[in-house]
Amino acid sequence: MSRPRIVIVGAGFAGYRAARTLARTTRGRAHITLLNPTDYFLYLPLLPQVAAGVLEPRRVTVSLSDTLPDVRLVLGEADRVDLDGRTLHYTGPEGDGGTLAYDRLVLAAGSVNKLLPIPGVAEYAHGFRGLPEALYLRDHVTRQVELAAAADDPKTCAARCTFVVVGAGYTGTEVAAHGQMFTDAQVRRHPLRQGMRPRWMLLDVAPRVLPEMDEKLSTTADRVLRQRGVDVRMGTSVQEATPDGVVLTDGEFVETRTLVWCVGVRPDPLVESLGLPLEKGRLLVDPHLQVPGRPELFACGDVAAVPDLDKPGSYTTMTAQHAWRHGKVAAENVAASLGLGGARKPYRHRDLGFVVDLGGAKAAANPLGVPLAGVPAGAVTRGYHLAAMPGNRVRVAADWLLDAVLPRQAVQLGLVRSWSVPLDTSSPELARVPGGPEQRQEASARSGPGAAVAADTYDGGTGAGSLQGRAGDEPAKGHPGSGATQHQPGSGTAQRRSEEQLAKGRPGAEPPRNWPADEPAKGPLGGGSAKGQPGGSGEPSRNPPGGESARNQPGGESAKNQPGAEPAKGQPGGEPARSQPGGEPAKNQPGGEPAKNQPGGEPAKNQPGREGSENQPGPDPEPPPDQPPPGPGTAPGPVKRSDVVPDDSAKGDS
């Protein structure tokens, strides 16, 4: 009898624990496959220490192959799940696709950055969900301090040394606390102008820091941050982000070059493509972490809405503690469903407390409900992390010891560029790379708050594409004027998931109207593509692969002047053209009516001033007053849109 096939999607806290538990439970009696974009498990709670130069990047990663020897690792990102056929389709790191068949499927895809419809945030902010983002932030902060130390203008120096963190939860609080210590240590070696020091701001609409924790711990964290010099502002958030700074909700404009987005997370959009019941973007499961009506499908971690049996009517929160425990229970129930383990059991948990590392010897912790602060809290916090890590404990402890006795190395490695880590991405664990075989000229990084210029954001793979201006580029996602993704043959790695699925995970009652699969916009820039352009949604486009073939394309109805088609009027065997002997005079010939595209005639259907034909990029809007009208001496180029209005269909709060 063949061994059952178990596929696990994601190697975060839930997926890694599920794979390890299944390998130990089944003992070789099942084929276990783990699908993950990277070959490591990331211990996310220590990521702020990587950004602050306390830990080296590899210290917070654990090799999947070394620690899961009985599990087959497949590198790739899940694209689509065929529930009826029990197959999973994925895209590999080099763009090649593949399919995995399963008898049991465990979805543990995790979460991605939570975006809010705030102008400029997607362009000028960076998240903090993956190792590439932490590496970028460390380089970026180091560069800003070094540039500020060399600046002659006090205003420029102050802007470069102002760092804004949005979100006062676990991640944002730790980033601000460690960041302030990191920059203070730098300016001791690279002094700024007299009387100036780095300024870190922590913003949140919540009434206090760490609102999800006990009030005593929140007070402790707030006191440590303020004593360290962090500008903590509760009840305040970002109203708009610009290249030169941010506009706060209280009306103040803060000049800065750094905007770190730690507002929160949302479930991976993969689960929305399943067409199964959801609870705030999470897949509904029973207490056994099994999807009702699908005995072969399990879900755990951030993508699963697991009933909280201790609080009827509510669901477990999206935390690492729950995800780690979810993985173990899901694995045991999967083995039980295959007859390879004991009886099924529901998920129950007991709160063990929380820990927040504030840098140095400072921390806030409440192990088993006992509130701690200062050195005791710091010792408990680091002891907990060492116990929870599945590997690298000695290396992590050694780095902590070295950091206590030696100064940190503040250098720019330049391994991750701004355009490699966009905020709007479905894969925060991966840094984007140029996706096409052709060489692309790399644009220099912009000086705005941690963002890239439009040309710097181009990539054929996942994540936010370029804003506009290149043929085949993907418009910026979720912003006014964005359109359907244009897939060019051979232009790079395949999309992880359609942008329609990413749109569904955004805040708001319904997806914006300018996303694929919605009604196409009438113009070429604002919304869906024109009927004849690649990437159009709704009905298949007339001329791209997979749609109805255009009349002059291979496989379509032949044009009248092409071989094998009806002879054109001016070709041998056809009706004489109007300008040929024996035919009616052409409209632009002497004695004939003026042609439609000639002076004095009606404009042709595909010329400016006339409604566009079906295979043209829609009607051209009238140029603005400062742009000359098209004419014989005007080179063709993009026309500024005057009819694009901002899309406010998605609303949320921070």
Side-chain angles (χ1 to χ4, degrees), residues 530-579:
K531 290 184 179 181
Q533 297 297 325
S537 55
E539 65 180 50
S541 57
R542 300 285 176 92
N543 57 354
E548 179 184 346
S549 303
R551 295 186 177 183
N552 57 349
Q553 300 294 331
E557 180 182 344
S558 304
K560 292 186 177 182
N561 57 350
Q562 299 296 328
E566 178 183 352
K569 292 183 178 181
Q571 299 296 328
E575 181 181 350
R578 296 184 178 182
S579 58

Side-chain angles (χ1 to χ4, degrees), residues 607-610 620-624 627-637 639:
Q607 299 295 328
R610 178 73 177 181
D620 291 335
E622 295 184 5
Q627 180 169 332
T634 304
V639 179

Side-chain angles (χ1 to χ4, degrees), residues 357-404:
D357 193 325
L358 300 176
K362 301 295 181 67
N366 62 342
L368 301 178
V370 180
L372 297 175
V375 176
V380 169
T381 298
R382 296 201 168 184
Y384 170 79
H385 287 318
L386 287 180
M389 287 194 68
N392 290 347
R393 297 185 180 95
V394 175
R395 290 185 172 92
V396 170
D399 275 4
W400 283 340
L401 178 61
L402 292 175
D403 181 68

